[in-house]
Amino acid sequence: MTILLLLTSTLLSSYFHPWGVVNAQSFTIRNITLSIEPSTDVTRDTNVTLRCQALVSISGQAVLSREYTIYKDSNVVYTKTSSTPEDLLYLLPEARVFNTGKYKCTVKIESREMSSDVKKLTVTGLSKPVLHLNKGVVIEGEEVTARCTAPGETGSIFFYFFKDSKEFQDKHTSSNQAEIKLHFSSVGVHKIHCSYTVLVTPESFKSEDSNNVTVSVKELPITAVLEIGPQYKIYEGDQLDISCSISNLLHNSESFHLYLSQGDSLLSSGNKTTTLKHVMVAKAIDPGEFECKLEIGNIVKVATKILSVTELFSAPTITISPAEVFQREIMKITCRCERYASERLTKEDVTYTLDPPQSSLNPGGNGVFSGRALHFEFNYTCVAEAKGIKKHSEALTVRPKVYVSVPRISVDGRAVLGKPFKILCQSDIGSLPINYTLFKDYKPLSTTSIKLSSQQAIFTVTITKPEEINKFMCEAKNSHREGGLSKNLITAVIEPLSDPTVTVLPSLENLYEGGYLDLLCSIRGTPPVTFKWYREGREQPLSTTTSNQNYTKHNIPLLSKESSGRYYCEAFNHANNVRSDNVDIVVQLAQWKKGVIVGFCLLVVSVLVVLCVLCFRSKRGKREAAAELSVRSASL
């Protein structure tokens, strides 16, 4: 039990502390250092050493097993296990560019592992490539083997081959040489050289050019022969006899192919056929270059001829008269060939038709067609024919114009007396451009041209009397000789408001409490009119009324002293707004209130008179009683 507890304690201590345990003794990896000798930047053929040094602290005399791993660009390139504390040496004898890269050393002791910092090694300098050819003199089409070698180089290498300083082939290999097969199709002396590039991701290193090797290519005596008859001046319609053949064909020649073509068209072809023949009709519009091509293995022999064909007649031109035609109007289409070979044919030999044949036009002479224009767009093509040769003109698109309809005249917005307003003139149909003219009393005022469907013919005018509005008309006219005149303009004319007047009923001097009040606001102008009544001191209107009459009334059914104040009205129509003068309203006392006041005053006066009389009589009685008492006293 005691041993078990001691072992458990040791394992827990090993887990919670950065120390290992070897035979009950601890260790720690303190540092890993990677160095590159003699330098991190070297030239090719330098002996390079990568030194990996592990600094390990250990208690006791235990021997540790160390596992070394060398990485290049994150890839393992070397692994070694050692039980000595000596440095690990990784040798790169005669270093090459391929050895360039980022290196790192990792040391692992039991479960502990530590890595060094990354060090980059750069190796510069590539060996000069060497080019070798197995033949220096060849016959046209013969195969040559070329081998390009990069002495002493390793890694991923791209080889490039050049013929007369132009790159023509490349090859990728993991060895230091590449071999390709060459074929020469052109006779003469050619210079061949090569170069290579070593790929070290993500960089690449290019070598210098190799030695030049000269190859002499001799011509193969076999040739392609192209013959075309007739050999003299050729006209359209003439028969062409074309022959494509082989000259100096050797009996031991391998498989061969013949091709006869005209421009992009292949006229004839054959395998192991020494002659190709083709018959055709000469045409001036066809490409005039003919080619006879012979293929024997990698050898290509070509013979070409450019044939000039004289036109019998030129392609026809098509014209229309008049230049602008309206629907159902008489028109004439003329077809003509401007040039023709007078030594082969006359003008009368050329006939003309219209395409499509369903055209509604009738022939009226050689190349002249007439009839009425259609209601819709139509394409016409003229076809000229002579001696079996047909030629088409370019398509003529006839777009018959549409007569302009009688225009409609209206007001854009509202017509206000004395203010500028807009008149709109518009036709429902008609080909653009359309000229619109505004008339007043049949006298032209202004003309505007509408060239786009989004435009409108708008005229700005001003009138001073309502009856002037009916004197306006407009005319619409396109290139046709006649134009349509609209009806007279009929629309309501708005007269601006004026002369606002407020009338008080009953009269101002007869306004009493308990009575009523009618305020009448009248104006001049075109209804509908919106009336608003105001009392000074208040922002909100007392009432708002829209009327088709030129007046309105505001009623106060029961007057009081609080009804007194200044009143006015405002009137609005589509032209303007006006305000009346203020009217002072003073409400007087009611008649019965005046009677009560007078009666009350009379009553007060009567009471005062009675009191005065009683007071006088009272004083007089006292004087008389005193006198009588004096008399009585005297008599006693």
Side-chain angles (χ1 to χ4, degrees):
M1 179 62 77
T2 303
I3 296 174
L4 182 59
L5 290 175
L6 180 59
L7 181 58
T8 302
S9 174
T10 302
L11 290 174
L12 289 175
S13 175
S14 174
Y15 180 80
F16 287 106
H17 297 282
W19 296 82
V21 176
V22 179
N23 297 328
Q25 297 187 28
S26 299
F27 72 93
T28 180
I29 304 174
R30 293 168 56 192
N31 191 30
I32 303 297
T33 303
L34 176 66
S35 59
I36 300 178
E37 302 170 359
S39 173
T40 55
D41 295 303
V42 298
T43 58
R44 66 185 300 271
D45 292 330
T46 301
N47 293 323
V48 178
T49 300
L50 275 66
R51 182 182 296 275
C52 183
Q53 184 180 43
L55 185 57
V56 180
S57 295
I58 184 171
S59 64
Q61 299 299 323
V63 177
L64 300 177
S65 178
R66 310 179 184 200
E67 182 180 337
Y68 293 88
T69 304
I70 302 295
Y71 294 88
K72 177 192 174 189
D73 299 325
S74 302
N75 297 314
V76 176
V77 295
Y78 184 71
T79 301
K80 181 179 180 181
T81 301
S82 174
S83 59
T84 68
E86 296 179 356
D87 298 343
L88 173 70
L89 301 181
Y90 176 58
L91 303 180
L92 298 175
E94 297 182 350
R96 294 290 185 263
V97 167
F98 177 72
N99 298 128
T100 295
K102 295 178 180 180
Y103 289 86
K104 181 180 69 171
C105 175
T106 299
V107 176
K108 183 177 181 182
I109 303 175
E110 297 189 358
S111 62
R112 302 295 179 185
E113 183 177 299
M114 181 177 288
S115 298
S116 68
D117 293 335
V118 174
K119 289 292 184 70
K120 182 176 181 181
L121 171 65
T122 302
V123 182
T124 57
L126 293 172
S127 61
K128 183 176 180 177
V130 178
L131 178 65
H132 177 267
L133 301 183
N134 67 333
K135 296 177 183 178
V137 178
V138 295
I139 299 175
E140 187 180 10
E142 190 175 351
E143 185 179 85
V144 177
T145 301
R147 182 174 68 251
C148 185
T149 305
E153 301 298 337
T154 59
S156 178
I157 303 178
F158 284 88
F159 287 91
Y160 305 94
F161 294 85
F162 298 82
K163 180 166 61 178
D164 296 328
S165 300
K166 293 183 180 179
E167 181 185 337
F168 68 93
Q169 193 169 341
D170 62 72
K171 189 172 184 180
H172 178 222
T173 179
S174 58
S175 67
N176 68 340
Q177 66 178 16
E179 191 172 276
I180 63 169
K181 304 297 183 181
L182 301 178
H183 297 88
F184 295 90
S185 59
S186 58
V187 177
V189 177
H190 301 277
K191 291 183 178 182
I192 312 298
H193 75 272
C194 69
S195 66
Y196 65 92
T197 296
V198 178
L199 181 63
V200 183
T201 307
E203 300 177 89
S204 61
F205 300 87
K206 184 174 177 58
S207 74
E208 58 180 309
D209 291 340
S210 72
N211 55 304
N212 280 307
V213 179
T214 300
V215 178
S216 180
V217 181
K218 295 182 178 181
E219 184 178 10
L220 195 66
I222 190 170
T223 58
V225 179
L226 176 63
E227 296 178 339
I228 301 177
Q231 298 180 358
Y232 302 103
K233 191 173 184 178
I234 300 174
Y235 290 88
E236 282 183 312
D238 289 350
Q239 178 177 303
L240 296 179
D241 296 316
I242 307 171
S243 171
C244 175
S245 59
I246 305 173
S247 175
N248 299 323
L249 180 64
L250 302 177
H251 293 290
N252 59 349
S253 296
E254 56 184 289
S255 177
F256 61 88
H257 303 274
L258 267 181
Y259 301 94
L260 176 62
S261 59
Q262 179 189 16
D264 295 331
S265 299
L266 183 63
L267 303 180
S268 180
S269 65
N271 297 331
K272 294 187 177 182
T273 300
T274 58
T275 303
L276 296 177
K277 293 185 178 294
H278 183 76
V279 178
M280 61 183 296
V281 176
K283 295 181 181 179
I285 60 173
D286 290 338
E289 184 175 355
F290 291 83
E291 180 183 271
C292 176
K293 182 179 180 181
L294 169 64
E295 292 182 356
I296 303 179
N298 296 312
I299 303 173
V300 177
K301 298 288 185 175
V302 177
T304 60
K305 281 189 178 181
I306 297 178
L307 192 66
S308 177
V309 179
T310 303
E311 280 189 323
L312 276 177
F313 54 92
S314 60
T317 59
I318 183 169
T319 58
I320 184 173
S321 177
E324 290 185 346
V325 61
F326 281 79
Q327 294 174 343
R328 304 304 301 162
E329 190 177 46
I330 295 294
M331 69 174 190
K332 181 173 69 174
I333 287 181
T334 304
C335 296
R336 283 289 179 268
C337 290
E338 302 297 331
R339 302 180 306 278
Y340 65 95
S342 58
E343 63 270 24
R344 288 292 186 99
L345 60 102
T346 65
K347 288 185 178 180
E348 289 71 23
D349 292 331
V350 184
T351 59
Y352 301 93
T353 56
L354 283 182
D355 188 29
Q358 304 90 330
S359 166
S360 61
L361 303 182
N362 301 314
N366 194 17
V368 179
F369 305 86
S370 60
R372 293 190 177 274
L374 302 175
H375 283 90
F376 48 87
E377 179 180 304
F378 200 80
N379 291 327
Y380 297 90
T381 302
C382 179
V383 181
E385 183 176 2
K387 295 190 175 183
I389 302 297
K390 286 186 178 182
K391 293 187 179 181
H392 292 74
S393 70
E394 294 184 356
L396 172 67
T397 301
V398 178
R399 299 180 177 89
K401 288 183 172 291
V402 180
Y403 296 113
V404 65
S405 62
V406 175
R408 292 177 284 105
I409 188 170
S410 59
V411 171
D412 185 14
R414 296 183 175 90
V416 179
L417 204 64
K419 292 185 177 182
F421 63 92
K422 296 177 180 179
I423 293 179
L424 174 63
C425 190
Q426 189 173 23
S427 295
D428 292 329
I429 59 173
S431 297
L432 299 174
I434 300 175
N435 294 326
Y436 291 94
T437 302
L438 182 67
F439 291 84
K440 184 179 180 182
D441 276 342
Y442 293 95
K443 296 179 181 179
L445 296 181
S446 178
T447 300
T448 183
S449 180
I450 301 302
K451 299 178 181 179
L452 301 175
S453 58
S454 59
Q455 294 177 320
Q456 290 183 316
I458 297 178
F459 305 90
T460 302
V461 298
T462 303
I463 59 175
T464 57
K465 298 178 181 178
E467 56 269 19
E468 291 182 48
I469 196 72
N470 304 119
K471 298 180 180 180
F472 290 101
M473 293 183 296
C474 72
E475 179 189 57
K477 185 177 181 181
N478 52 13
S479 54
H480 194 256
R481 58 184 176 273
E482 297 179 359
L485 194 63
S486 72
K487 297 180 180 179
N488 293 79
L489 177 61
I490 299 176
T491 189
V493 178
I494 300 173
E495 181 181 356
L497 300 178
S498 63
D499 301 332
T501 304
V502 176
T503 304
V504 180
L505 295 175
S507 58
L508 291 173
E509 60 271 14
N510 292 323
L511 299 179
Y512 296 99
E513 287 183 318
Y516 71 94
L517 172 63
D518 286 332
L519 296 175
L520 181 66
C521 182
S522 58
I523 49 93
R524 289 183 58 189
T526 302
V529 181
T530 298
F531 294 93
K532 292 185 178 182
W533 286 97
Y534 290 91
R535 179 179 177 181
E536 279 195 350
R538 294 183 58 181
E539 293 183 0
Q540 297 300 321
L542 300 175
S543 65
T544 301
T545 304
T546 299
S547 173
N548 288 322
Q549 305 296 328
N550 289 65
Y551 60 87
T552 189
K553 181 175 68 173
H554 178 66
N555 175 258
I556 301 177
L558 186 62
L559 291 173
S560 64
K561 292 295 288 184
E562 287 76 14
S563 302
S564 298
R566 290 185 172 186
Y567 292 80
Y568 65 92
C569 72
E570 288 185 354
F572 305 82
N573 71 354
H574 294 299
N576 65 333
N577 61 291
V578 293
R579 171 180 167 168
S580 69
D581 294 333
N582 292 339
V583 176
D584 290 328
I585 301 298
V586 178
V587 179
Q588 304 180 48
L589 288 174
Q591 294 288 351
W592 65 271
K593 287 186 178 181
K594 291 183 179 180
V596 170
I597 293 173
V598 172
F600 180 74
C601 291
L602 291 176
L603 178 59
V604 170
V605 171
S606 300
V607 171
L608 290 175
V609 170
V610 172
L611 290 176
C612 289
V613 171
L614 291 176
C615 182
F616 176 76
R617 286 182 177 177
S618 174
K619 289 181 179 181
R620 183 178 176 182
K622 287 182 180 180
R623 286 196 300 268
E624 289 178 355
E628 183 180 357
L629 183 58
S630 287
V631 172
R632 285 180 180 177
S633 296
S635 60
L636 292 177

